[in-house]
Amino acid sequence: MRQKRNDFNYRVGKVIVCAVVLFVLIGCVYTPYDPNGMNGALKNAAPSLAHPFGTDNFGRDVLSRVMKGAGTTFFVGLCTVAIGGIIGTLLGAVTGYYGGLFDEILMRLNDGLTSFPSILLALVFVSILGPGKYNIILALGIIFIPSFARVVRSEYITQKQMDYVKNAKLMGASDFRIMFVHILPNTRPILLSSLTIGFNNAVLAEAGMSYLSLGVQPPDASLGRMLSEAQAYLFSAPWVALAPGILIVLTVLGFSMVNEDAG
Amino acid sequence: MSERMYENIQENIRKNPGGRPEKNTGENRREGSDLLLAVRNLSVAFPGGKREATVVDTISFSLRTGEVLGIVGESGSGKSMTALALMGLLKKGAVRSADAILFDGKDLNRVSAEEYRDIRGRSMAMIFQEPMTSLNPVYTVGNQVEEMLKLHAHLSKEERKQKTIQAFEEAGIRDSAEVWGKYPHQLSGGQRQRVMIAMAMICEPKLLIADEPTTALDVTIQARILALIKKLNREHGTAVILISHDLGVIRNICDRTLVMYQGKIVERGSIEEIFSNPKENYTRTLLDAVPGIHKRDDAKAAGAYGTAAAEYRDILVSVRDLTVAYKGNKEGLFGRRRVTEAVSHIDFDIYKGEILGLVGESGCGKSTTAKAIAGLIDSYTGTITPDNRKPQMVFQDPYGSLNPCKTIGWILEEPLKMQGMKRAVDRVAKAKELLAEVGLPVEYAARYPRDLSGGQRQRVAIAAALITGPQLLILDEPVSALDVTVQAQILDLLQRIRRQHNLTYLFISHDMNVIYQICDRVCVMTQGTIVETAAPRELIANPKHEYTRQLLASVPE
């Protein structure tokens, strides 16, 4: 049963998430100014009616760049979660359902992967693959696999002992069908919450990678990239950091609040 | 207890709030003096929310010192809620209201939280159904029982330990000094329930509330636990409220009983009155629904329900020298796995058309046998012929055996998909046909298992097992999780379906009464072997094996 306090979190979270998503979607088709268009006359201009969040050191409109950059960040986040989620779920399902030696080996590999800090690992991947949006997605995606695999695996271990699984075996369903048609829907609550948590982490990780200038390359905007560029002018033009910072906070907060109730 | 008596109590409360009721004059004097508990118009409700419900509806009853009162009813009848309300342990959101709950001279409506906590444990104790979850798994049982003394008595550490061990001994725990240092998972279900009783009794409470204390236990252990409760009641004069859905248990040890239905007390009276001359329809239904080795209607059994055992000649499944061993956990990294035989070298045949019962306590290997026959276990030795048998199973827990994420329609259609029925229209038609056959409205196809009651779910499970037209149906405790009235309906349904489809059942149960009612032949299992096979009537009249005799002796009448 949903409790009152959580219910409040859920509603507020939903409003925040919807607002952020709407903002990003609008950014895909319309921005007030060209996000990469420079204006030498308006370097580091303070927020005004014409530029609600000011301009950066090249005179680019911060609002437009955030709208466009959030899109990039979200894209990276979604792809990362998709890669990690799909592969992780597959691995988790197979290892949890079959168990045995195969499970042992994969899970020890998993442990190995988790024992490194994720940013460090991503750095290693990027240094091999080279920087760039798609490489970041690949690197983060691989790093996100273990957490999904672990969660899904433990759920499969519980579920495979249920009588409905025995029933499915008795009616002659194949292992594949039992895993993905019978059991998978039952992992939905836990899978959904790990997906939202994963998305949050992916957004943060992208921001972190881009901040270290390993992610999205200039002149394209991403939230992390913008923060990184704003750092140099933090005292003279703090508004440049403000908009991307607020958006990251809102995104993570919104998804966390929704997620608290999803499980 | 008479209406006038209650009025007297109320009068007393008005005169003397919170205190011991004044002695009444005349004939009520004796009754009043040894009155331990008087409940007047107790209600428990869950106000607000989507499902506003009154689960206990203005009930009144009383209990004398040293009396054993039974409360019987189906699940959801409010009997557990009554107990929790008395203990003041209702969940948040539940609201208790009562004109008066007089316990041992105090009105529980008026005591502070502090005083209530002192009353709980010291003068009122409770034991629950599930002894595994009601003990904390990370502390030794000795520590947990001692905690009661820490809270309610001033004793030194050594004295506490001595007293705890004493309490264990009294609760019938052998090697009590050794058990003191063990953790709950190291004890058997019966031992855990004894520990719970020791914990409840250690402060010598005036009232012990036992909520389904034996439901999770095997029948032979159940008999011993009930005897223990009765003994403690006699020796210490502890009043007992025994809550059970099992009329046999109630009959065995109670002096008086209340019958609850939908939050109300529908009938009350002494055990003899209720059992020999029930006044209310509901009580009669409840009594009629109880299967019993003393009740089987032989005419009905032979005529309507089937034929005598001798007529079954064709062997459907033959089990020879079946042994199933489980590998235990490794002891240490390089240690050897301990191998335990759950089933060892059993032989039996299932004849076409019969209902073969498999009876025994939990852990005797009956479910393992069933799984081996169903083909859910591959690693067995011995032979089960023929190989192409494709039995279906119905499991004990209808909550677990239906996929909670799928609609009833999907669950029923899935086996047909496996069989290669391509057209969705055909599958839907077949599913509807089966739903109607098990007595459910066809609209249920669109519902999810959580929308159905336990009995309805078990009907769906039966329909799902039948839909592929198997010859053999393995029923693994199919009615154990159900209320007694629902249980009777499901047993009827099983009988009807067997006749219509010429099915053979392997019926597994720990309940001798149910086995007796439905089976043509019974195999008695203990410790992985079949010790006796006979027709139920013969088995009861002339049990050959020692274990069978023990099992039959434990069945409450």
Side-chain angles (χ1 to χ4, degrees):
Chain A
M1 217 182 281
R2 188 176 285 168
Q3 280 177 1
K4 267 231 162 78
R5 198 179 58 83
N6 283 357
D7 201 42
F8 172 78
N9 277 355
Y10 177 71
R11 282 186 196 157
V12 175
K14 210 161 73 175
V15 171
I16 296 177
V17 168
C18 287
V20 168
V21 169
L22 194 68
F23 181 75
V24 170
L25 284 181
I26 293 172
C28 292
V29 288
Y30 166 80
T31 51
Y33 299 88
D34 175 9
N36 294 335
M38 301 183 204
N39 184 346
L42 275 172
K43 279 186 181 176
N44 284 339
S48 62
L49 273 181
H51 299 279
F53 285 93
T55 58
D56 65 6
N57 63 322
F58 292 111
R60 297 175 293 198
D61 179 43
V62 172
L63 179 66
S64 303
R65 280 181 74 73
V66 165
M67 286 172 92
K68 198 77 189 168
T72 312
T73 302
F74 271 42
F75 175 73
V76 173
L78 278 178
C79 292
T80 304
V81 168
I83 293 177
I86 291 171
I87 300 180
T89 305
L90 279 172
L91 284 180
V94 171
T95 52
Y97 186 76
Y98 287 111
L101 190 66
F102 178 61
D103 173 40
E104 284 288 323
I105 294 171
L106 270 178
M107 279 300 124
R108 291 302 80 80
L109 280 177
N110 223 346
D111 288 343
L113 208 53
T114 7
S115 61
F116 293 99
S118 51
I119 286 285
L120 185 71
L121 260 180
L123 286 176
V124 172
F125 277 113
V126 171
S127 61
I128 298 168
L129 299 169
K133 190 158 82 175
Y134 295 101
N135 288 344
I136 280 285
I137 290 174
L138 195 61
L140 290 178
I142 292 170
I143 288 157
F144 275 55
I145 292 172
S147 64
F148 283 104
R150 190 163 291 279
V151 167
V152 171
R153 174 178 171 270
S154 66
E155 194 63 15
Y156 265 72
I157 290 176
T158 331
Q159 294 285 340
K160 76 171 172 185
Q161 289 157 356
M162 302 283 283
D163 285 338
Y164 76 84
V165 176
K166 291 195 195 110
N167 249 337
K169 276 184 200 161
L170 280 177
M171 66 177 80
S174 65
D175 285 344
F176 183 82
R177 190 171 174 87
I178 291 176
M179 272 190 263
F180 297 107
V181 178
H182 289 258
I183 301 183
L184 191 63
N186 286 294
T187 62
R188 201 189 60 163
I190 197 138
L191 203 57
L192 269 185
S193 57
S194 25
L195 283 174
T196 45
I197 293 175
F199 180 72
N200 270 348
N201 290 342
V203 167
L204 287 176
E206 187 280 329
M209 300 291 286
S210 298
Y211 180 83
L212 297 171
S213 29
L214 293 168
V216 178
Q217 296 301 304
D220 284 345
S222 90
L223 296 181
R225 173 106 225 131
M226 289 180 71
L227 279 180
S228 158
E229 286 164 358
Q231 189 194 14
Y233 306 97
L234 200 57
F235 292 103
S236 54
W239 48 84
V240 184
L242 204 62
I246 288 175
L247 197 65
I248 291 178
V249 169
L250 279 181
T251 309
V252 174
L253 182 74
F255 275 98
S256 302
M257 283 171 99
V258 169
N259 175 52
E260 211 164 273
D261 199 69
Chain B
M1 189 157 147
S2 66
E3 272 299 302
R4 210 174 82 219
M5 182 79 195
Y6 283 121
E7 275 151 29
N8 282 334
I9 294 165
Q10 267 204 305
E11 188 66 24
N12 279 330
I13 296 163
R14 243 175 274 133
K15 279 189 211 155
N16 182 14
R20 184 172 266 279
E22 284 172 26
K23 297 280 161 64
N24 292 312
T25 50
E27 57 174 330
N28 278 339
R29 176 183 284 268
R30 198 190 53 80
E31 281 184 320
S33 62
D34 61 359
L35 192 71
L36 181 70
L37 176 73
V39 177
R40 173 76 171 163
N41 290 342
L42 171 72
S43 294
V44 177
F46 290 90
K50 277 175 200 154
R51 290 182 205 159
E52 180 160 348
T54 305
V55 288
V56 178
D57 195 359
T58 49
I59 62 166
S60 303
F61 63 94
S62 67
L63 183 70
R64 296 196 191 101
T65 309
E67 192 178 28
V68 184
L69 175 73
I71 301 182
V72 69
E74 297 178 3
S75 53
S77 62
K79 48 196 200 310
S80 288
M81 280 297 163
T82 308
L84 291 172
L86 290 180
M87 293 291 286
L89 290 176
L90 287 170
K91 272 189 283 187
K92 267 189 190 159
V95 173
R96 179 183 84 178
S97 64
D99 290 350
I101 306 173
L102 271 184
F103 173 72
D104 197 24
K106 291 196 183 77
D107 186 356
L108 298 183
N109 263 343
R110 292 159 202 255
V111 296
S112 68
E114 199 87 339
E115 282 176 286
Y116 218 138
R117 217 167 54 217
D118 197 52
I119 291 172
R120 281 200 293 266
R122 197 198 293 276
S123 2
M124 245 187 196
M126 186 160 176
I127 48 180
F128 299 93
Q129 174 175 353
E130 189 40 73
M132 188 65 228
T133 50
S134 44
L135 289 169
N136 191 331
V138 298
Y139 291 106
T140 63
V141 292
N143 268 325
Q144 292 182 57
V145 177
E146 257 189 52
E147 171 137 21
M148 288 287 283
L149 293 173
K150 270 188 209 162
L151 294 173
H152 297 289
H154 301 283
L155 296 170
S156 73
K157 204 176 167 198
E158 200 47 39
E159 283 171 329
R160 280 205 302 266
K161 184 169 178 180
Q162 282 312 317
K163 193 154 182 210
T164 308
I165 292 174
Q166 237 173 44
F168 279 173
E169 264 161 25
E170 196 167 4
I173 299 171
R174 267 166 287 171
D175 308 321
S176 45
E178 199 180 314
V179 168
W180 188 90
K182 285 192 172 171
Y183 290 91
H185 69 266
Q186 295 172 301
L187 304 176
S188 70
Q191 272 177 314
R192 284 198 289 258
Q193 201 60 295
R194 280 174 197 273
V195 168
M196 278 304 294
I197 291 174
M199 189 194 279
M201 292 302 295
I202 198 162
C203 287
E204 304 197 350
K206 297 192 169 106
L207 172 65
L208 175 69
I209 302 176
D211 187 359
E212 305 265 8
T214 57
T215 308
L217 303 175
D218 285 323
V219 62
T220 48
I221 298 160
Q222 165 174 314
R224 282 179 229 147
I225 295 286
L226 290 177
L228 171 67
I229 292 177
K230 189 76 192 169
K231 182 186 125 208
L232 293 170
N233 161 259
R234 260 200 315 271
E235 287 175 6
H236 297 273
T238 311
V240 179
I241 296 181
L242 183 82
I243 294 166
S244 182
H245 69 281
D246 187 338
L247 284 155
V249 168
I250 295 278
R251 188 176 195 169
N252 251 8
I253 77 165
C254 296
D255 305 320
R256 278 195 307 134
T257 187
L258 310 174
V259 182
M260 282 189 77
Y261 182 60
Q262 294 184 344
K264 286 189 162 69
I265 295 178
V266 292
E267 191 163 2
R268 61 180 87 213
S270 69
I271 290 297
E272 296 87 60
E273 275 167 28
I274 296 274
F275 278 83
S276 57
N277 187 19
K279 289 185 190 68
E280 290 298 317
N281 273 338
Y282 176 70
T283 317
R284 266 197 290 274
T285 325
L286 206 59
L287 283 168
D288 286 345
V290 179
I293 50 183
H294 314 285
K295 263 178 70 179
R296 174 157 160 169
D297 187 342
D298 284 325
K300 199 169 153 195
Y305 278 175
T307 37
E311 284 182 31
Y312 305 116
R313 290 230 176 72
D314 305 332
I315 292 176
L316 185 69
V317 174
S318 165
V319 177
R320 288 287 169 271
D321 200 29
L322 175 72
T323 301
V324 185
Y326 286 117
K327 282 181 195 154
N329 285 329
K330 271 188 196 170
E331 288 170 11
L333 190 56
F334 300 104
R336 296 183 65 182
R337 286 173 193 272
R338 195 187 293 159
V339 176
T340 33
E341 282 188 354
V343 172
S344 77
H345 309 287
I346 61 169
D347 301 275
F348 65 95
D349 296 314
I350 305 173
Y351 295 102
K352 203 166 176 349
E354 74 168 344
I355 302 183
L356 177 66
L358 208 52
V359 71
E361 296 184 353
S362 54
C364 73
K366 48 190 196 311
S367 287
T368 309
T369 310
K371 279 185 210 156
I373 294 172
L376 290 172
I377 297 176
D378 297 327
S379 56
Y380 60 82
T381 60
T383 54
I384 304 174
T385 45
D387 281 333
N388 65 352
R389 67 189 187 280
K390 274 200 180 147
Q392 290 296 317
M393 267 182 100
V394 174
F395 296 91
Q396 170 174 3
D397 180 12
Y399 295 79
S401 59
L402 302 176
N403 193 332
C405 286
K406 305 288 184 183
T407 61
I408 302 302
W410 190 94
I411 291 169
L412 290 176
E413 284 176 45
E414 178 73 359
L416 297 174
K417 282 183 215 157
M418 296 295 106
Q419 270 198 336
M421 194 184 272
K422 289 263 160 39
R423 286 175 55 201
V425 196
D426 294 344
R427 293 199 304 261
V428 171
K430 181 86 181 165
K432 282 188 174 161
E433 184 191 316
L434 258 293
L435 271 180
E437 192 163 349
V438 296
L440 290 175
V442 286
E443 298 89 72
Y444 276 39
R447 299 199 184 172
Y448 287 90
R450 60 169 178 272
D451 303 327
L452 272 57
S453 71
Q456 288 171 331
R457 277 181 215 172
Q458 204 57 301
R459 282 172 195 266
V460 174
I462 292 169
L466 282 178
I467 205 158
T468 50
Q471 281 192 299
L472 174 65
L473 211 56
I474 300 175
L475 306 155
D476 190 355
E477 305 263 10
V479 294
S480 306
L482 304 174
D483 279 324
V484 63
T485 45
V486 182
Q487 180 176 321
Q489 290 161 12
I490 296 291
L491 288 178
D492 269 352
L493 173 72
L494 285 172
Q495 292 279 24
R496 183 164 58 77
I497 282 173
R498 180 179 68 128
R499 262 176 289 133
Q500 281 166 358
H501 294 260
N502 285 324
L503 290 170
T504 307
Y505 291 162
L506 176 61
F507 192 100
I508 296 166
S509 182
H510 68 282
D511 189 339
M512 203 62 208
N513 286 324
V514 172
I515 288 276
Y516 182 80
Q517 177 163 330
I518 195 169
C519 294
D520 298 305
R521 282 192 313 143
V522 188
C523 297
V524 182
M525 269 191 97
T526 181
Q527 291 170 354
T529 54
I530 292 179
V531 293
E532 189 166 356
T533 305
R537 233 174 310 163
E538 200 183 308
L539 195 75
I540 282 157
N542 188 17
K544 290 194 178 66
H545 194 271
E546 178 52 36
Y547 178 75
T548 315
R549 277 195 284 274
Q550 212 182 326
L551 197 66
L552 288 169
S554 311
V555 176
E557 283 183 17

